[in-house]
Amino acid sequence: MTAETSAAENPQRISMFKVLNPFHVWALGVGIVLVGEFMGWNFSVAKGGAYGALIACWVIGLLYSCVAMIDSEVTSTVAAAGGQYTQAKHIIGPLMAFNVGLFLVMAYTMLEAADALIVGDLMSAVAAATGYEGLSPQPFVVLTIAFLAWLNYRGVFMTLTVNFVITLFAFLAIIALFIGADPLNPGNILRHSDLLTELPYGWIGVVASLQFGMWYYLGIEGTCQAAEEVRSAGRSIPLGTIGGILTLLVAASLTWYVATGLMPWQYLGQAATPLYDAASIIGNPSLQVVLFIGTMFAAIASANGCINDAARAWFSMGRDRYMPTWFGAIHPHYRTPFRAIIFLIPIAVSFAFTGLLDQVITFSILSGLLGYTFMSINMMRFRKMWPLDVIKRGYIHPFHPIPALVLLGLCAAVYFATFLGYGASLLSIMAFYIVASAWFVMRRYQFVKRGDQFTMPWPRPRGY
């Protein structure tokens, strides 16, 4: 009787399944990002020319390499759903945690909407090519988001296993395009000597291109959201994240090399589907089919990963009372944050229905950029509060504090680049987060149990 009473007073907390391995983490991070190799990155060519886009590719690659190293250390140590939000909760405080959580939810939900819109537009284009003009993309947008939400609802293992398969296909499609371009025989198909030019707008164009260089890698930090569901955070998060950024560096370089060798920069800078166009120029029908499927799979994988990550960030905020606790529920059978998944569906669909792809993606990019700025500060504070000899880490990134300082400097450069082209959007997004912060302080902070925020088995810093 005593045991029954004790069980009733202390019900067992339902937790998420720990079933993921490094391949799933890789599929989550690369899956979110790889669509940027198929489209979007090429807008950097319009800003800075082909060479400017290459500089942006490698400079932003350095930015995301810093992100990957920092995330691998902190997340393998703070192994909980919510990723950077949970880190902010422990390392900085509630207001920063609220903002970081909101950065994550908005970045992934906006990117999910953009991905679904891409799927809808691709299906409309196929319909037009087969004689069915005027087919609306909106039903495909709803179908894509609804199906992927159902997949996420049913379980993370199945969700990310599917993501691994379709992401791997999309990556291999880029490899196939590179091989099909016959890179060992310059001048046969690839004509870099004829197409590459000097910087058309000088170095200011190179700076402006940094914003769109983020398309190559935007979202790799999403691997952090799997921290609570991996079998070993100390092994899976670093392997999946660093393996992911290496994959993306290869994919980005191959993408640039093939596309700039087939299309003049004036056309490439405004192409909607540059890799599919590249396959069309090569003239291999099989390669065209592979690239079309690869583009579709990349967009679906990205939306799938975004649903996974946005839901876990929102769920974590609900669990900690930053949002209503109703969102902090885990499905008793599937062990997924099912209420958060369902709640975010109409929000993503609404943004997709606007059709404003550039504005939606700009909001996603800037939300992500704000998160990266936080990471640099977070890393330096983390090392100061818990030095290496105080707590055990799953991974220790080298050269600290250089990656954090480099990340902070590159974020400042991208802010400036964004201001050059989307100054009004940048200011409006900053205003949105300021208003949201004021709402949190005045309306929501009263529900947060400050003493319950520290959940890691570490020595508490003085004054926490």
Side-chain angles (χ1 to χ4, degrees), residues 352-368:
F353 274 15
T354 65
L356 301 174
L357 184 61
D358 58 338
Q359 294 298 323
V360 169
I361 292 176
T362 298
F363 201 122
S364 178
I365 288 174
L366 290 174
S367 295

Side-chain angles (χ1 to χ4, degrees), residues 14 40 106 108 132 136 200 213 243 248 255 360 410 441 452:
I14 299 176
M106 296 305 294
Y108 292 125
Y132 295 93
S136 173
L248 293 170
T255 295
V360 169
L410 291 177
V441 171
D452 294 344

Side-chain angles (χ1 to χ4, degrees), residues 407-432:
L407 176 58
L408 190 61
L410 291 177
C411 284
V414 179
Y415 281 123
F416 178 68
T418 304
F419 182 78
L420 293 177
Y422 291 86
S425 297
L426 176 61
L427 295 176
S428 63
I429 289 168
M430 297 295 288
F432 167 79

Side-chain angles (χ1 to χ4, degrees), residues 201-221:
Y201 305 114
W203 285 99
I204 192 65
V206 174
V207 173
S209 69
L210 293 178
Q211 176 194 354
F212 294 103
M214 291 183 67
W215 280 71
Y216 285 114
Y217 315 100
L218 179 67
I220 184 62
E221 72 281 358

Side-chain angles (χ1 to χ4, degrees), residues 65-233:
S65 296
C66 295
V67 167
M69 288 193 293
I70 290 170
D71 268 347
S72 293
E73 175 170 336
V74 184
T75 306
S76 64
T77 311
V78 188
Q84 294 86 353
Y85 153 78
T86 305
Q87 298 167 21
K89 182 183 71 172
H90 284 84
I91 299 169
I92 298 183
L95 182 58
M96 177 59 80
F98 169 78
N99 275 280
V100 171
L102 202 57
F103 297 160
L104 294 169
V105 173
M106 296 305 294
Y108 292 125
T109 303
M110 293 289 187
L111 188 55
E112 171 196 343
D115 293 328
L117 190 57
I118 289 168
V119 172
D121 288 342
L122 287 173
M123 295 304 296
S124 295
V126 170
T130 54
Y132 295 93
E133 296 283 350
L135 184 65
S136 173
Q138 292 185 348
F140 297 104
V141 169
V142 175
L143 182 62
T144 299
I145 292 176
F147 172 74
L148 295 177
W150 172 81
L151 193 64
N152 275 269
Y153 186 101
R154 293 294 298 268
V156 69
F157 184 84
M158 178 173 63
T159 298
L160 295 187
T161 299
V162 170
N163 238 43
F164 177 78
V165 173
I166 62 178
T167 300
L168 182 61
F169 182 94
F171 177 68
L172 292 177
I174 295 175
I175 301 295
L177 178 65
F178 177 71
I179 295 172
D182 194 14
L184 298 180
N185 294 299
N188 183 26
I189 295 177
L190 299 175
R191 299 182 295 112
H192 290 101
S193 59
D194 299 328
L195 295 175
L196 293 182
T197 63
E198 299 294 329
L199 300 175
Y201 305 114
W203 285 99
I204 192 65
V206 174
V207 173
S209 69
L210 293 178
Q211 176 194 354
F212 294 103
M214 291 183 67
W215 280 71
Y216 285 114
Y217 315 100
L218 179 67
I220 184 62
E221 72 281 358
T223 55
C224 296
Q225 299 300 326
E228 196 168 318
E229 295 162 282
V230 293
R231 296 190 184 103
S232 171

Side-chain angles (χ1 to χ4, degrees), residues 4-16:
E4 292 177 0
T5 303
S6 177
E9 292 175 352
N10 300 289
Q12 185 177 4
R13 183 177 179 179
I14 299 176
S15 60
M16 293 185 280

Side-chain angles (χ1 to χ4, degrees), residues 2 7 15 45 85-86 120 178 212 264 266 288 294 302-303 341 363 388 421 423:
T2 304
S15 60
V45 178
Y85 153 78
T86 305
F178 177 71
F212 294 103
Q266 296 91 337
Q288 288 179 255
S302 181
I341 292 170
F363 201 122
L388 295 180

Side-chain angles (χ1 to χ4, degrees), residues 379-440:
M379 183 66 236
M380 290 186 281
R381 187 169 169 82
F382 179 59
R383 283 285 185 98
K384 182 178 180 180
M385 294 171 71
W386 292 282
L388 295 180
D389 58 345
V390 172
I391 60 173
K392 183 179 179 181
R393 290 160 164 81
Y395 169 82
I396 300 174
H397 84 268
F399 311 121
H400 177 77
I402 294 174
L405 295 174
V406 170
L407 176 58
L408 190 61
L410 291 177
C411 284
V414 179
Y415 281 123
F416 178 68
T418 304
F419 182 78
L420 293 177
Y422 291 86
S425 297
L426 176 61
L427 295 176
S428 63
I429 289 168
M430 297 295 288
F432 167 79
Y433 285 116
I434 291 171
V435 171
S437 297
W439 172 84
F440 174 74

